[in-house]
Amino acid sequence: MKLLFILLSIGWLSCTPTPSTEFENFLNQSTEKNYTLLIQNGQIVDGLGNDEYSADLLIQDDTIAFIGQVDTALIQVKKTIDAAGKVVTPGFIDMHSHGNPLKTPEFKNFLAMGATTISLGKDGSSPDYENLAEWMQLVADTVPGVNIAMFVGHGTLRMQSGIKYNPRPSDEQLEVIGQLLEQNLDAGCFGMTTGLEYIPGFYAPAYELEHLAKIVGEKNKLITSHVRNEDDNEVESSIRELLDQGKFCRVNVSHMKVVYGQGESRAEEILNVLNQARRDGVPVTADVYPYTASYTGISILFPEWAKPPNNYQQVVATRRAELEDFLRNKVNQRNGPEATLLGTAPYAGKNLAQLSEEMDKPFEDILIDDIQPGGASGAYFVMNDSLQSRFIADSLVMISSDGSPTSRHPRGHGTFARIIEKFIVQDSVLTLADAVRKMTSMPAQTMGITDRGTIAVGKKADVLIFDPKQVHETATYENPFQLAEGINFVIVNGKISSENGEYSSQRNGQMLRKQ
């Protein structure tokens, strides 16, 4: 009996594939023996939320070819990276980004914090091309430093279609804007964005948004929205407006926040609105950035009647006292003049209180006479930390930066590093596996990027190698352009774009298109 047990055990073991057998089987099914890159001894965090595991990663050109134990005696590899003591993750995918790849194609700010794919055309604004296919080809020819997923902006479409500031577009105008939308979706845009807090999207009625949502849905694409009003007393109704469009297509709440809101319980109320919508069959997602200050144009402080198509100078001449009262009350409601930090020269780095003292005039008069709507952008410290942190912790909320290479806010250079450093390592708000999922496969799935976002055979080789404890956000509100540190290797489409803080002169990104 003992001999029989030994023989059976030997037989069972001989039928179980060993790591070397798996690799040999892989080679037997492939004619290729020369590979581009081998990452050895790392801990794989696959982007799907699974536990990390030990494996080598073999890359051929721009694609992950094999995951497992690699026998280097059987192949030739151009470069080998020892990832011992580090994790190997998919490159991060930024759900909401800004920038101009024709002016700043390097995008080192994104690479340094691990973002290998960004999405542009946000908040209802995209480049002023009636067919973005032409612009996308220009970007492709430029070869950006990161991959770019493009959206078409609803506000831009409004201007191009001739609707502009009209709050009641005609059927004929809806036909025109719908044709422009369809043309850009067919060109490869991943969807449409709205910025309903901004002009001209502010003027869009429900029937216009429904008409466009139906077109987006027919193309199986996404609407992602800077909702109409993010203030505590208006944000729920603004989200519900987006959810109405979600009856016809997938929808996403961009950079979800509650201005003036307080505490985790308020966050739970907002999350419950989304969860109930999901139970009702509305395919809704959301993203958030890990900061309590927003960043946008100063026009957000001004009333609708002082912005286009209204004549600003005439408003100042005829309604100045009313405008002064509005701005004074608005700024004080938004935590006072100290909470508005200007980001545009010649005011960059100063808040409204400092400007008022330096210029010896009330801040509302500075806004009216010196800055004016459209004259500057700024950071606004209007959010509650515990509320926003609850959004970050939610398993169905993605991470985005809402940043760019040039905006004076640390989110453009620090977001993903901050998530790792503060929310994983320091505060344990997120596990590494879940945080990586929220920064990789979730945004990929939401936008419809099918070949990136996970560590899996056949996926594009956008890969990061780092020790989470060594990742550090260096950007601050005072010095927002400092690059993040600690991502040892950033690999874009199988090529090393950054190695221990040294950046390749070759840009490796692509212009992505969704058909």
Side-chain angles (χ1 to χ4, degrees), residues 162-183:
I163 297 176
K164 297 185 177 180
Y165 312 109
N166 183 359
R168 301 296 299 175
S170 66
D171 290 343
E172 291 77 13
Q173 289 174 317
L174 291 183
E175 182 70 21
V176 173
I177 194 173
Q179 289 173 352
L180 288 171
L181 172 60
E182 187 169 359
Q183 175 177 275

Side-chain angles (χ1 to χ4, degrees), residues 288-353:
V288 64
Y289 53 77
Y291 299 89
T292 55
S294 62
Y295 189 91
T296 192
I298 203 74
S299 65
I300 200 169
L301 300 178
F302 285 77
E304 171 266 329
W305 44 266
K307 293 184 278 194
N310 302 290
N311 185 309
Y312 177 71
Q313 297 304 328
Q314 184 176 355
V315 168
V316 172
T318 60
R319 304 176 66 176
R320 182 176 184 109
E322 185 181 0
L323 183 58
E324 288 175 351
D325 287 343
F326 182 95
L327 290 171
R328 188 184 308 112
N329 292 335
K330 183 79 168 181
V331 170
N332 285 328
Q333 184 185 26
R334 295 169 68 89
N335 295 330
E338 297 84 2
T340 296
L341 178 67
L342 281 299
T344 306
Y347 317 107
K350 299 177 181 179
N351 63 45
L352 283 178

Side-chain angles (χ1 to χ4, degrees), residues 6 24-25 27 74 86 123 158 172 179 240 256 270 298-299 325 401 413 445 450 453 464 489 511:
I6 294 171
E24 289 172 3
N25 290 339
L27 290 180
L74 301 178
K86 298 178 175 63
D123 300 317
R158 255 189 158 244
E172 291 77 13
Q179 289 173 352
R240 292 184 195 281
M256 188 163 63
I270 301 300
I298 203 74
S299 65
D325 287 343
S401 76
H413 287 66
Q445 182 178 9
T450 58
L464 308 177
F489 286 86
M511 185 74 233

Side-chain angles (χ1 to χ4, degrees), residues 163-291:
I163 297 176
K164 297 185 177 180
Y165 312 109
N166 183 359
R168 301 296 299 175
S170 66
D171 290 343
E172 291 77 13
Q173 289 174 317
L174 291 183
E175 182 70 21
V176 173
I177 194 173
Q179 289 173 352
L180 288 171
L181 172 60
E182 187 169 359
Q183 175 177 275
N184 283 287
L185 295 178
D186 288 343
C189 287
F190 284 74
M192 182 184 77
T193 69
T194 61
L196 302 184
E197 195 166 20
Y198 302 125
I199 304 297
F202 176 85
Y203 295 105
Y207 68 85
E208 174 188 334
L209 298 172
E210 179 180 317
H211 173 71
L212 299 176
K214 289 177 179 178
I215 295 172
V216 174
E218 289 168 0
K219 300 292 183 180
N220 191 28
K221 299 199 178 184
L222 173 73
I223 289 178
T224 181
S225 179
H226 178 135
V227 298
R228 194 172 293 275
N229 193 322
E230 297 173 322
D231 291 355
D232 189 31
N233 62 334
E234 297 286 347
V235 67
E236 285 190 44
S237 62
S238 297
I239 290 174
R240 292 184 195 281
E241 180 182 32
L242 177 62
L243 296 176
D244 286 340
Q245 297 155 51
K247 298 171 185 175
F248 309 102
C249 68
R250 294 177 292 114
V251 293
N252 179 74
V253 181
S254 294
H255 45 60
M256 188 163 63
K257 65 177 73 71
V258 183
V259 177
Y260 322 134
Q262 297 291 320
E264 288 188 27
S265 61
R266 184 61 178 129
E268 293 290 353
E269 292 172 353
I270 301 300
L271 292 170
N272 285 339
V273 171
L274 300 184
N275 289 331
Q276 182 59 55
R278 294 181 186 113
R279 288 192 289 269
D280 293 338
V282 176
V284 59
T285 52
D287 60 77
V288 64
Y289 53 77
Y291 299 89

Side-chain angles (χ1 to χ4, degrees), residues 275 278 284-287 393-398 437-438 442:
N275 289 331
R278 294 181 186 113
V284 59
T285 52
D287 60 77
D394 189 79
S395 63
L396 297 177
V397 176
M398 297 168 285
R437 180 182 66 88
K438 290 155 74 74
M442 276 188 73

